[in-house]
Amino acid sequence: MHHFVYKNDDLYCEDVSVSHVAEQVGTPFYLYSYSTIRTHFGVFENAFNGLDHLTCFSVKSNSNLAILRLLALEGGGADIVSGGELFRAIRAGIRPDKIVYSGVGKTRKDIEIALKSDILMFNVESDQELQTLNDIAKDIGCKATIAMRINPDVESKTHPYIVTGFSENKFGIQIEDSLNTYALAKHLKHIDVKGISCHIGSQLTEIDPFVEALRKLKELLEELKKMGLDIEFLNLGGGLGITYNDEKPPHPLEYAKALKETIGENRFTLILEPGRVIIGNAGILVTRVLYTKSTKNKRFIIVDAGMNDLIRPALYNSFHAVQPVKMTHSEMFAADLVGPVCETGDFLARDRKMPPFEPGDLVAIMSAGAYSFSMASNYNSRPRPAEVMVKEKLFSIIRSREVYEDLISGEAIPEFLG
Ligand SMILES: *Cc1c(COP(=O)(O)O)cnc(C)c1O
């Protein structure tokens, strides 16, 4: 369910016409629907009613301050993977006692700031990290609350780049090694062991891998009880998929039902770290056609957004639906929608049936709320696009389009170059 619909052949975001925003802010830009984000979060959150749980939005999926603020107001926490994300989450008003920190490469500096911010817990991913965390907590004079991030070794059918819970991935601690790590943690004076966490992958469209992972965590929990460890939190990570094209992912209600059944009577707080399922279909990328051209066997539509703005097609060969901002009702043609970046991989859609776009036409790239702006770069010295949020009849720029001065911010020409 989202709020990007046609009214009299014009694409709207809630009650604002997309072409109106384009006239005001220029192209390309990301456009988010407040109501969609709020609804998605509410549906997810309410699906877990009756179960002691905490929903921590995955900040890496979309880290704009306004979006984090919206989720903070809805009671959401944050799943962060860097000091920069911690900074954003706190700045947006997310309560530190609702922040969990994952990632295989936490730096000493970021750990120190997170400890001083009194976040809920660290999801520790190695023995060495555990030791470092203990040392830093000792220096500060506090205790670090932790969950061990386990690699439960379940197979999830998704793109190999976004599988994380299989034994060949760099994430987490192998489940068979984890008892040793927990034993080590138990004896560290500045570590407070409170949880088990995992995150098995992203854009999963089946429930079974989640259930299997949860079962494994529960088994581990029993083992840990025998060791005298009091585990209060099980963290199942994120990963619930969305519809980009014809995928049929489980509804959050089905997902929650299956998890509730697996949990049974157990007493612990379930932590969830959804990203894509909240924000993926709540945003679009709007771009304008610059030129069209044809070769012997291909038709190219060249638009003003490129792989630096939205890298998912180039990186994962992901599908994003392409829609005209002004409906045409004319015959569709197969074409490649490509950007201006000097790379063959710079495409937004390939061999796709689309309307006969002409220079000046506005094009909407759908399902561009997650891993889209947050992965944008300045490659080819292209300023990153604006971000806009619509709420009913209102729209607001939540990130200005970058200007050329932003591109060289922090750069310096050394004296020896005159
Ligand atoms: C990326 C990530 C998530 C969010 O994944 P989605 O597929 O967007 O729900 C959650 N937890 C961790 C540890 C992650 O790295």
Side-chain angles (χ1 to χ4, degrees):
M1 225 281 286
H2 61 68
H3 290 81
F4 298 95
V5 290
Y6 290 95
K7 298 182 189 173
N8 295 323
D9 288 350
D10 281 319
L11 185 63
Y12 273 69
C13 175
E14 302 192 22
D15 300 325
V16 176
S17 97
V18 172
S19 54
H20 175 67
V21 181
E23 274 155 32
Q24 301 292 310
V25 308
T27 53
F29 63 95
Y30 279 96
L31 187 60
Y32 305 103
S33 152
Y34 166 95
S35 302
T36 308
I37 302 171
R38 193 157 171 248
T39 306
H40 285 181
F41 184 81
V43 165
F44 191 92
E45 181 58 27
N46 293 334
F48 288 92
N49 274 347
L51 190 71
D52 191 359
H53 72 282
L54 174 63
T55 305
C56 296
F57 176 67
S58 171
V59 174
K60 76 176 190 294
S61 66
N62 191 316
S63 44
N64 186 287
L65 275 188
I67 287 165
L68 299 182
R69 163 80 82 196
L70 194 174
L71 294 169
L73 293 174
E74 298 299 309
D79 161 44
I80 58 164
V81 294
S82 71
E85 288 189 354
L86 175 63
F87 170 77
R88 285 177 175 278
I90 288 178
R91 185 61 69 88
I94 293 179
R95 278 170 40 182
D97 63 358
K98 290 184 178 181
I99 297 178
V100 296
Y101 187 178
S102 314
V104 292
K106 304 178 187 79
T107 64
R108 294 187 73 95
K109 180 168 156 250
D110 288 346
I111 289 173
E112 199 178 311
I113 297 170
L115 276 173
K116 288 181 175 162
S117 309
D118 218 6
I119 64 167
L120 178 61
M121 79 179 80
F122 292 81
N123 293 331
V124 173
E125 306 216 14
S126 67
D127 288 13
Q128 290 179 6
E129 182 194 333
L130 183 66
Q131 202 74 55
T132 302
L133 191 53
N134 184 64
D135 294 347
I136 299 172
K138 185 177 174 204
D139 290 347
I140 296 177
C142 67
K143 267 192 160 192
T145 304
I146 65 138
M148 223 66 84
R149 175 161 174 190
I150 303 303
N151 188 330
D153 199 15
V154 297
E155 265 185 272
S156 45
K157 294 192 199 89
T158 185
H159 191 283
Y161 284 10
I162 48 182
V163 175
T164 52
F166 194 44
S167 58
E168 287 173 18
N169 304 126
K170 71 176 175 181
F171 298 100
I173 298 165
Q174 296 307 302
I175 196 155
E176 56 274 19
D177 300 336
S178 67
L179 288 177
N180 287 334
T181 309
Y182 273 107
L184 171 67
K186 196 179 168 207
H187 291 105
L188 293 174
K189 287 204 172 60
H190 294 271
I191 296 290
D192 194 3
V193 183
K194 284 269 181 71
I196 313 174
S197 83
C198 75
H199 168 69
I200 56 175
S202 203
Q203 183 54 16
L204 306 192
T205 51
E206 285 165 29
I207 291 183
D208 289 355
F210 292 112
V211 170
E212 199 190 328
L214 184 55
R215 282 214 184 95
K216 289 197 175 186
L217 297 198
K218 269 182 62 183
E219 280 167 28
L220 181 58
L221 183 135
E222 293 305 319
E223 293 292 313
L224 296 177
K225 255 193 204 156
K226 288 182 206 152
M227 281 170 57
L229 284 168
D230 183 19
I231 300 297
E232 293 173 34
F233 297 92
L234 282 203
N235 181 338
L236 199 57
L240 193 57
I242 63 168
T243 304
Y244 284 98
N245 185 13
D246 52 8
E247 305 90 336
K248 298 212 165 39
H251 189 276
L253 275 172
E254 283 175 69
Y255 168 74
K257 184 164 169 270
L259 299 187
K260 281 177 184 172
E261 281 166 11
T262 314
I263 287 171
E265 293 299 299
N266 280 271
R267 280 164 202 265
F268 50 77
T269 302
L270 182 68
I271 300 181
L272 299 146
E273 303 174 336
R276 194 188 310 269
V277 70
I278 306 292
I279 195 70
N281 275 321
I284 63 174
L285 172 63
V286 182
T287 179
R288 203 180 277 281
V289 177
L290 296 171
Y291 308 105
T292 64
K293 67 178 179 182
S294 299
T295 62
K296 225 188 303 173
N297 40 23
K298 251 192 193 301
R299 185 178 154 83
F300 291 101
I301 314 283
I302 302 154
V303 294
D304 63 5
M307 66 188 286
N308 71 295
D309 304 302
L310 178 62
I311 202 173
R312 299 188 67 259
L315 189 61
Y316 311 125
N317 204 16
S318 331
F319 179 99
H320 286 269
V322 170
Q323 292 186 11
V325 167
K326 179 100 190 155
M327 190 87 94
T328 58
H329 305 286
S330 44
E331 205 187 323
M332 307 271 258
F333 293 90
D336 282 15
L337 195 77
V338 301
V341 173
C342 300
E343 294 282 346
T344 305
D346 180 29
F347 63 90
L348 298 172
R350 269 205 292 215
D351 278 324
R352 195 80 66 75
K353 285 262 162 117
M354 52 185 100
F357 289 122
E358 292 297 337
D361 287 351
L362 289 168
V363 181
I365 314 294
M366 308 306 286
S367 313
Y371 306 103
S372 296
F373 187 92
S374 63
M375 284 188 171
S377 78
N378 291 121
Y379 186 43
N380 275 209
S381 284
R382 289 167 48 81
R384 282 178 296 174
E387 292 180 283
V388 178
M389 187 185 282
V390 168
K391 181 181 183 226
E392 296 165 5
K393 287 192 173 75
L394 304 174
F395 77 88
S396 177
I397 294 173
I398 58 173
R399 192 179 209 276
S400 318
R401 181 180 310 289
E402 287 181 340
V403 296
Y404 291 150
E405 282 296 326
D406 294 325
L407 295 177
I408 55 168
S409 152
E411 290 181 27
I413 296 171
E415 236 167 78
F416 57 76
L417 288 177

